[in-house]
Amino acid sequence: MVGIKPTDLAPTAAVKFFGAGTAACIADLVTFPLDTAKVRLQIQGEVKPAEGAVGVKYRGVFGTINTMVRTEGPRSLYNGLVAGLQRQMSFASVRIGLYDSMKQFYTRGSENASIVSRLLAGCTTGAMAVAFAQPTDVVKVRFQAQVRVADGARRYNGTLDAYRTIARDEGVKGLWKGCMPNITRNAIVNCAELVTYDIIKELILKYDLMTDNLPCHFTAAFGAGFCTTVVASPVDVVKTRFMNSSPGQYSSAINCAITMLTKEGPTAFYKGFMPSFLRLGSWNIVMFVSYEQIKRAMTRAQQSWESPF
Protein backbone atom coordinates (compact mmCIF):
# COMPACT_ATOMS: atom_id res chain seq x y z
CA MET A 1 0.00 0.00 0.00
CA VAL A 2 1.04 3.61 -0.47
CA GLY A 3 2.00 5.97 2.33
CA ILE A 4 5.44 4.70 3.43
CA LYS A 5 7.88 7.54 4.00
CA PRO A 6 11.52 7.14 2.90
CA THR A 7 12.65 7.17 6.54
CA ASP A 8 10.17 4.46 7.55
CA LEU A 9 11.12 0.81 7.63
CA ALA A 10 8.88 -0.86 5.03
CA PRO A 11 6.84 -3.81 6.32
CA THR A 12 8.13 -7.18 5.15
CA ALA A 13 6.00 -9.58 3.07
CA ALA A 14 5.57 -11.78 6.17
CA VAL A 15 4.30 -8.81 8.23
CA LYS A 16 1.78 -7.96 5.51
CA PHE A 17 0.72 -11.60 5.14
CA PHE A 18 0.00 -12.23 8.83
CA GLY A 19 -1.20 -8.67 9.43
CA ALA A 20 -3.81 -8.98 6.67
CA GLY A 21 -5.15 -12.29 8.03
CA THR A 22 -5.35 -10.95 11.59
CA ALA A 23 -7.02 -7.69 10.53
CA ALA A 24 -9.55 -9.60 8.40
CA CYS A 25 -10.44 -11.82 11.37
CA ILE A 26 -11.02 -8.73 13.54
CA ALA A 27 -13.24 -7.26 10.82
CA ASP A 28 -15.19 -10.54 10.51
CA LEU A 29 -15.83 -10.68 14.26
CA VAL A 30 -17.31 -7.17 14.14
CA THR A 31 -19.39 -7.50 10.97
CA PHE A 32 -20.38 -11.19 10.85
CA PRO A 33 -24.10 -10.66 11.74
CA LEU A 34 -24.41 -8.32 8.74
CA ASP A 35 -22.83 -10.95 6.51
CA THR A 36 -25.23 -13.62 7.79
CA ALA A 37 -28.20 -11.29 7.16
CA LYS A 38 -26.88 -10.66 3.64
CA VAL A 39 -26.72 -14.41 2.90
CA ARG A 40 -30.27 -14.99 4.20
CA LEU A 41 -31.62 -12.16 2.03
CA GLN A 42 -29.70 -13.38 -1.03
CA ILE A 43 -31.07 -16.93 -0.89
CA GLN A 44 -34.61 -15.75 -0.16
CA GLY A 45 -36.90 -16.69 -3.04
CA GLU A 46 -34.65 -19.58 -4.05
CA VAL A 47 -36.98 -22.16 -2.48
CA LYS A 48 -40.77 -21.90 -2.65
CA PRO A 49 -42.35 -21.51 0.82
CA ALA A 50 -44.41 -24.36 2.22
CA GLU A 51 -48.20 -24.18 1.96
CA GLY A 52 -49.56 -21.63 4.38
CA ALA A 53 -46.14 -20.11 5.03
CA VAL A 54 -45.40 -16.42 4.62
CA GLY A 55 -43.85 -15.66 1.22
CA VAL A 56 -41.28 -13.13 2.41
CA LYS A 57 -39.71 -14.01 5.73
CA TYR A 58 -36.93 -11.44 5.87
CA ARG A 59 -37.41 -7.72 5.27
CA GLY A 60 -34.36 -5.48 5.28
CA VAL A 61 -31.07 -5.78 7.11
CA PHE A 62 -32.16 -5.11 10.65
CA GLY A 63 -35.51 -6.83 10.11
CA THR A 64 -33.60 -9.97 9.09
CA ILE A 65 -31.35 -9.75 12.15
CA ASN A 66 -34.38 -9.19 14.40
CA THR A 67 -36.26 -12.16 12.87
CA MET A 68 -33.24 -14.45 13.26
CA VAL A 69 -32.70 -13.47 16.90
CA ARG A 70 -36.41 -13.93 17.67
CA THR A 71 -36.85 -17.29 15.90
CA GLU A 72 -33.39 -18.88 16.18
CA GLY A 73 -31.62 -17.06 19.01
CA PRO A 74 -28.71 -14.57 18.97
CA ARG A 75 -26.14 -17.31 18.26
CA SER A 76 -27.67 -17.83 14.80
CA LEU A 77 -26.10 -14.52 13.73
CA TYR A 78 -22.69 -16.15 14.13
CA ASN A 79 -23.47 -19.41 12.30
CA GLY A 80 -20.33 -20.37 10.40
CA LEU A 81 -18.02 -18.04 12.36
CA VAL A 82 -15.33 -20.70 12.81
CA ALA A 83 -15.26 -21.41 9.06
CA GLY A 84 -15.36 -17.65 8.46
CA LEU A 85 -12.25 -17.06 10.58
CA GLN A 86 -10.51 -20.03 8.93
CA ARG A 87 -11.41 -18.46 5.59
CA GLN A 88 -10.02 -15.04 6.49
CA MET A 89 -6.72 -16.35 7.86
CA SER A 90 -6.10 -18.27 4.63
CA PHE A 91 -7.98 -16.04 2.19
CA ALA A 92 -7.23 -12.45 3.25
CA SER A 93 -3.60 -13.28 4.01
CA VAL A 94 -3.14 -14.16 0.34
CA ARG A 95 -5.35 -11.63 -1.45
CA ILE A 96 -4.46 -8.60 0.70
CA GLY A 97 -1.13 -9.56 2.22
CA LEU A 98 0.48 -10.45 -1.12
CA TYR A 99 -1.05 -7.55 -3.08
CA ASP A 100 1.97 -5.24 -2.73
CA SER A 101 4.39 -8.04 -3.62
CA MET A 102 2.37 -8.91 -6.72
CA LYS A 103 2.14 -5.22 -7.66
CA GLN A 104 5.94 -4.96 -7.50
CA PHE A 105 6.18 -8.11 -9.63
CA TYR A 106 4.05 -6.56 -12.40
CA THR A 107 5.86 -3.21 -12.22
CA ARG A 108 9.26 -4.98 -12.04
CA GLY A 109 10.16 -3.19 -8.82
CA SER A 110 9.12 0.31 -9.95
CA GLU A 111 7.54 2.56 -7.29
CA ASN A 112 5.13 4.12 -9.84
CA ALA A 113 2.46 1.47 -10.36
CA SER A 114 0.02 2.03 -13.21
CA ILE A 115 -3.69 1.29 -12.90
CA VAL A 116 -3.20 -1.78 -15.13
CA SER A 117 -0.48 -3.16 -12.82
CA ARG A 118 -2.72 -2.65 -9.79
CA LEU A 119 -5.67 -4.35 -11.49
CA LEU A 120 -3.49 -7.30 -12.53
CA ALA A 121 -2.13 -7.62 -8.98
CA GLY A 122 -5.66 -7.53 -7.54
CA CYS A 123 -6.97 -10.15 -9.99
CA THR A 124 -3.98 -12.44 -9.39
CA THR A 125 -4.07 -12.45 -5.58
CA GLY A 126 -7.87 -12.72 -5.60
CA ALA A 127 -7.78 -15.82 -7.83
CA MET A 128 -4.93 -17.38 -5.81
CA ALA A 129 -6.83 -16.85 -2.56
CA VAL A 130 -10.03 -18.47 -3.87
CA ALA A 131 -8.21 -21.51 -5.23
CA PHE A 132 -6.62 -22.00 -1.80
CA ALA A 133 -9.48 -21.14 0.56
CA GLN A 134 -12.67 -22.11 -1.33
CA PRO A 135 -13.67 -25.02 1.00
CA THR A 136 -13.81 -22.65 3.99
CA ASP A 137 -16.09 -20.29 2.03
CA VAL A 138 -18.46 -23.11 1.03
CA VAL A 139 -18.79 -24.26 4.65
CA LYS A 140 -19.27 -20.69 5.90
CA VAL A 141 -22.10 -20.00 3.43
CA ARG A 142 -23.80 -23.34 4.21
CA PHE A 143 -23.78 -22.55 7.94
CA GLN A 144 -25.07 -19.02 7.46
CA ALA A 145 -27.88 -20.25 5.20
CA GLN A 146 -29.14 -23.08 7.40
CA VAL A 147 -32.24 -22.33 9.44
CA ARG A 148 -32.84 -24.16 12.69
CA VAL A 149 -36.23 -25.86 12.64
CA ALA A 150 -38.57 -26.52 15.56
CA ASP A 151 -37.08 -29.88 16.55
CA GLY A 152 -33.58 -28.38 16.56
CA ALA A 153 -32.42 -30.36 13.50
CA ARG A 154 -29.53 -28.83 11.61
CA ARG A 155 -27.92 -29.47 8.25
CA TYR A 156 -24.47 -29.79 9.88
CA ASN A 157 -23.49 -30.38 13.51
CA GLY A 158 -20.18 -28.55 13.39
CA THR A 159 -17.47 -27.15 11.14
CA LEU A 160 -15.52 -30.42 10.80
CA ASP A 161 -18.78 -32.33 10.31
CA ALA A 162 -19.65 -29.94 7.47
CA TYR A 163 -16.32 -30.58 5.70
CA ARG A 164 -16.79 -34.36 6.12
CA THR A 165 -20.45 -34.38 5.07
CA ILE A 166 -19.89 -32.28 1.95
CA ALA A 167 -16.90 -34.40 0.90
CA ARG A 168 -18.88 -37.63 1.52
CA ASP A 169 -22.18 -36.61 -0.10
CA GLU A 170 -20.93 -34.41 -2.93
CA GLY A 171 -17.36 -35.59 -3.37
CA VAL A 172 -14.22 -33.60 -2.69
CA LYS A 173 -15.13 -31.33 -5.60
CA GLY A 174 -18.18 -30.30 -3.55
CA LEU A 175 -15.82 -28.35 -1.30
CA TRP A 176 -14.79 -26.33 -4.36
CA LYS A 177 -18.40 -25.78 -5.46
CA GLY A 178 -18.84 -22.35 -7.01
CA CYS A 179 -15.09 -21.91 -7.39
CA MET A 180 -15.34 -20.24 -10.82
CA PRO A 181 -18.04 -17.67 -9.85
CA ASN A 182 -16.08 -17.07 -6.66
CA ILE A 183 -12.87 -16.46 -8.63
CA THR A 184 -14.81 -14.02 -10.83
CA ARG A 185 -16.37 -12.37 -7.79
CA ASN A 186 -13.09 -12.03 -5.94
CA ALA A 187 -11.20 -10.77 -8.96
CA ILE A 188 -13.81 -8.00 -9.12
CA VAL A 189 -13.85 -7.47 -5.34
CA ASN A 190 -10.07 -7.42 -5.05
CA CYS A 191 -9.70 -4.94 -7.89
CA ALA A 192 -12.49 -2.69 -6.62
CA GLU A 193 -11.46 -2.97 -2.97
CA LEU A 194 -7.66 -2.88 -2.99
CA VAL A 195 -7.13 -0.73 -6.08
CA THR A 196 -9.78 1.81 -5.00
CA TYR A 197 -8.32 1.97 -1.49
CA ASP A 198 -4.82 2.33 -2.92
CA ILE A 199 -5.80 5.13 -5.31
CA ILE A 200 -7.99 7.08 -2.84
CA LYS A 201 -5.29 6.93 -0.18
CA GLU A 202 -2.63 7.95 -2.69
CA LEU A 203 -4.67 10.98 -3.85
CA ILE A 204 -5.43 12.06 -0.27
CA LEU A 205 -1.72 12.01 0.58
CA LYS A 206 -0.66 13.54 -2.74
CA TYR A 207 -2.85 16.62 -2.30
CA ASP A 208 -2.17 16.88 1.47
CA LEU A 209 -5.87 16.52 2.35
CA MET A 210 -4.98 14.34 5.34
CA THR A 211 -1.92 12.77 6.90
CA ASP A 212 -1.24 9.03 6.65
CA ASN A 213 -3.30 8.24 9.72
CA LEU A 214 -6.68 6.94 10.89
CA PRO A 215 -8.96 9.56 9.19
CA CYS A 216 -7.19 8.93 5.87
CA HIS A 217 -7.50 5.14 6.25
CA PHE A 218 -11.17 5.49 7.27
CA THR A 219 -12.06 7.64 4.22
CA ALA A 220 -10.23 5.44 1.73
CA ALA A 221 -11.76 2.26 3.22
CA PHE A 222 -15.31 3.66 3.10
CA GLY A 223 -14.92 4.63 -0.56
CA ALA A 224 -13.48 1.22 -1.36
CA GLY A 225 -16.39 -0.53 0.37
CA PHE A 226 -19.03 1.40 -1.57
CA CYS A 227 -17.38 0.88 -4.98
CA THR A 228 -16.90 -2.81 -4.25
CA THR A 229 -20.56 -3.36 -3.30
CA VAL A 230 -21.91 -1.70 -6.44
CA VAL A 231 -19.64 -3.69 -8.75
CA ALA A 232 -19.64 -7.09 -7.01
CA SER A 233 -23.24 -7.55 -5.76
CA PRO A 234 -24.62 -9.45 -8.81
CA VAL A 235 -21.73 -11.94 -8.82
CA ASP A 236 -21.93 -12.25 -5.03
CA VAL A 237 -25.63 -13.21 -5.13
CA VAL A 238 -25.03 -15.86 -7.82
CA LYS A 239 -22.03 -17.21 -5.87
CA THR A 240 -24.06 -17.50 -2.66
CA ARG A 241 -27.04 -19.18 -4.37
CA PHE A 242 -24.83 -21.65 -6.25
CA MET A 243 -22.67 -22.63 -3.26
CA ASN A 244 -25.72 -23.12 -1.04
CA SER A 245 -27.68 -25.15 -3.65
CA SER A 246 -28.41 -28.84 -3.29
CA PRO A 247 -26.77 -31.26 -5.78
CA GLY A 248 -28.40 -30.98 -9.22
CA GLN A 249 -30.36 -27.80 -8.45
CA TYR A 250 -28.25 -25.78 -10.89
CA SER A 251 -26.08 -27.23 -13.65
CA SER A 252 -23.64 -24.30 -13.48
CA ALA A 253 -23.19 -20.77 -12.14
CA ILE A 254 -24.46 -19.41 -15.48
CA ASN A 255 -27.57 -21.62 -15.20
CA CYS A 256 -28.07 -20.27 -11.67
CA ALA A 257 -27.89 -16.68 -12.95
CA ILE A 258 -30.32 -17.40 -15.83
CA THR A 259 -32.77 -19.14 -13.45
CA MET A 260 -32.67 -16.13 -11.12
CA LEU A 261 -33.25 -13.73 -14.02
CA THR A 262 -36.22 -15.65 -15.46
CA LYS A 263 -37.92 -16.51 -12.15
CA GLU A 264 -37.20 -13.42 -10.02
CA GLY A 265 -36.21 -10.69 -12.45
CA PRO A 266 -33.06 -8.50 -12.63
CA THR A 267 -33.59 -7.03 -9.16
CA ALA A 268 -32.73 -10.47 -7.72
CA PHE A 269 -29.06 -9.76 -8.50
CA TYR A 270 -29.14 -6.92 -5.98
CA LYS A 271 -30.91 -8.80 -3.20
CA GLY A 272 -29.23 -8.02 0.08
CA PHE A 273 -27.58 -4.86 -1.35
CA MET A 274 -27.97 -2.81 1.85
CA PRO A 275 -26.51 -5.51 4.13
CA SER A 276 -23.79 -6.03 1.52
CA PHE A 277 -22.94 -2.33 1.63
CA LEU A 278 -23.22 -2.08 5.40
CA ARG A 279 -21.10 -5.18 5.76
CA LEU A 280 -18.48 -4.34 3.09
CA GLY A 281 -18.30 -0.70 4.15
CA SER A 282 -17.86 -1.50 7.83
CA TRP A 283 -15.67 -4.54 7.04
CA ASN A 284 -13.35 -2.43 4.90
CA ILE A 285 -13.11 0.28 7.55
CA VAL A 286 -12.33 -2.15 10.38
CA MET A 287 -10.01 -4.27 8.25
CA PHE A 288 -7.94 -1.51 6.63
CA VAL A 289 -7.65 0.56 9.82
CA SER A 290 -6.63 -2.58 11.76
CA TYR A 291 -4.29 -3.68 8.97
CA GLU A 292 -2.46 -0.34 8.88
CA GLN A 293 -2.06 -0.30 12.66
CA ILE A 294 -0.99 -3.96 12.86
CA LYS A 295 1.60 -3.40 10.10
CA ARG A 296 3.03 -0.42 11.96
CA ALA A 297 3.07 -2.19 15.32
CA MET A 298 4.69 -5.35 13.91
CA THR A 299 7.25 -3.31 11.95
CA ARG A 300 8.17 -1.29 15.06
CA ALA A 301 8.43 -4.49 17.09
CA GLN A 302 10.65 -6.05 14.43
CA GLN A 303 12.80 -2.91 14.29
CA SER A 304 13.23 -2.75 18.08
CA TRP A 305 14.01 -6.48 18.20
CA GLU A 306 16.69 -6.13 15.53
CA SER A 307 18.11 -2.91 17.05
CA PRO A 308 17.36 -3.04 20.78
CA PHE A 309 19.75 -0.17 21.61
Side-chain angles (χ1 to χ4, degrees):
M1 301 291 174
V2 295
I4 301 295
K5 298 176 183 178
T7 54
D8 290 340
L9 179 66
T12 63
V15 166
K16 293 176 184 177
F17 187 86
F18 291 109
T22 304
C25 284
I26 294 170
D28 245 29
L29 285 168
V30 174
T31 64
F32 207 80
L34 291 171
D35 192 40
T36 303
K38 177 203 74 173
V39 169
R40 292 293 180 93
L41 283 166
Q42 286 177 337
I43 64 170
Q44 187 165 252
E46 184 177 31
V47 180
K48 291 182 179 179
E51 190 176 347
V54 180
V56 179
K57 185 175 182 181
Y58 304 118
R59 294 182 183 276
V61 188
F62 299 107
T64 300
I65 291 173
N66 181 54
T67 300
M68 289 179 65
V69 170
R70 191 177 67 250
T71 59
E72 301 172 56
R75 291 182 63 183
S76 65
L77 297 173
Y78 283 89
N79 278 347
L81 178 62
V82 173
L85 296 179
Q86 289 172 353
R87 174 181 180 266
Q88 292 301 351
M89 278 308 297
S90 54
F91 183 73
S93 297
V94 174
R95 80 176 184 92
I96 299 170
L98 297 184
Y99 171 73
D100 283 337
S101 299
M102 198 56 62
K103 190 169 65 174
Q104 288 180 348
F105 171 78
Y106 283 116
T107 58
R108 297 181 181 179
S110 172
E111 289 298 319
N112 299 317
S114 66
I115 185 69
V116 175
S117 298
R118 297 181 202 211
L119 290 171
L120 285 171
C123 286
T124 303
T125 58
M128 287 167 58
V130 171
F132 181 59
Q134 180 69 3
T136 62
D137 203 13
V138 172
V139 171
K140 179 184 81 78
V141 168
R142 296 282 182 95
F143 265 104
Q144 289 176 313
Q146 73 175 357
V147 180
R148 185 177 300 188
V149 294
D151 61 0
R154 299 176 69 89
R155 193 174 183 182
Y156 307 110
N157 294 320
T159 306
L160 292 177
D161 177 61
Y163 287 116
R164 282 194 299 265
T165 303
I166 294 170
R168 185 185 67 238
D169 296 347
E170 304 173 42
V172 175
K173 68 178 183 180
L175 291 168
W176 270 267
K177 190 172 189 177
C179 191
M180 286 312 297
N182 211 10
I183 284 176
T184 305
R185 184 243 182 203
N186 279 288
I188 295 169
V189 166
N190 235 30
C191 289
E193 193 175 83
L194 296 179
V195 175
T196 304
Y197 179 83
D198 219 9
I199 291 172
I200 293 174
K201 182 181 172 184
E202 188 177 88
L203 291 172
I204 288 171
L205 297 176
K206 180 180 178 181
Y207 292 103
D208 293 323
L209 300 176
M210 299 176 190
T211 58
D212 186 14
N213 225 314
L214 198 145
C216 171
H217 305 156
F218 181 95
T219 305
F222 184 84
F226 180 76
C227 292
T228 305
T229 310
V230 172
V231 172
S233 272
V235 184
D236 192 31
V237 174
V238 173
K239 179 211 79 165
T240 300
R241 291 280 186 98
F242 189 62
M243 288 199 305
N244 185 58
S245 64
S246 56
Q249 187 174 352
Y250 304 115
S251 59
S252 66
I254 294 174
N255 174 251
C256 177
I258 293 170
T259 303
M260 284 173 57
L261 183 64
T262 53
K263 288 189 175 181
E264 302 172 57
T267 56
F269 292 99
Y270 279 92
K271 276 192 171 182
F273 179 83
M274 278 310 296
S276 287
F277 173 59
L278 287 173
R279 195 258 175 179
L280 268 176
S282 56
W283 192 92
N284 271 271
I285 290 166
V286 176
M287 194 285 296
F288 278 116
V289 169
S290 301
Y291 181 43
E292 298 279 8
Q293 299 307 311
I294 290 169
K295 276 196 303 182
R296 289 183 180 182
M298 290 179 71
T299 302
R300 288 194 194 105
Q302 182 185 2
Q303 194 173 18
S304 63
W305 180 72
E306 291 175 351
S307 306
F309 302 106

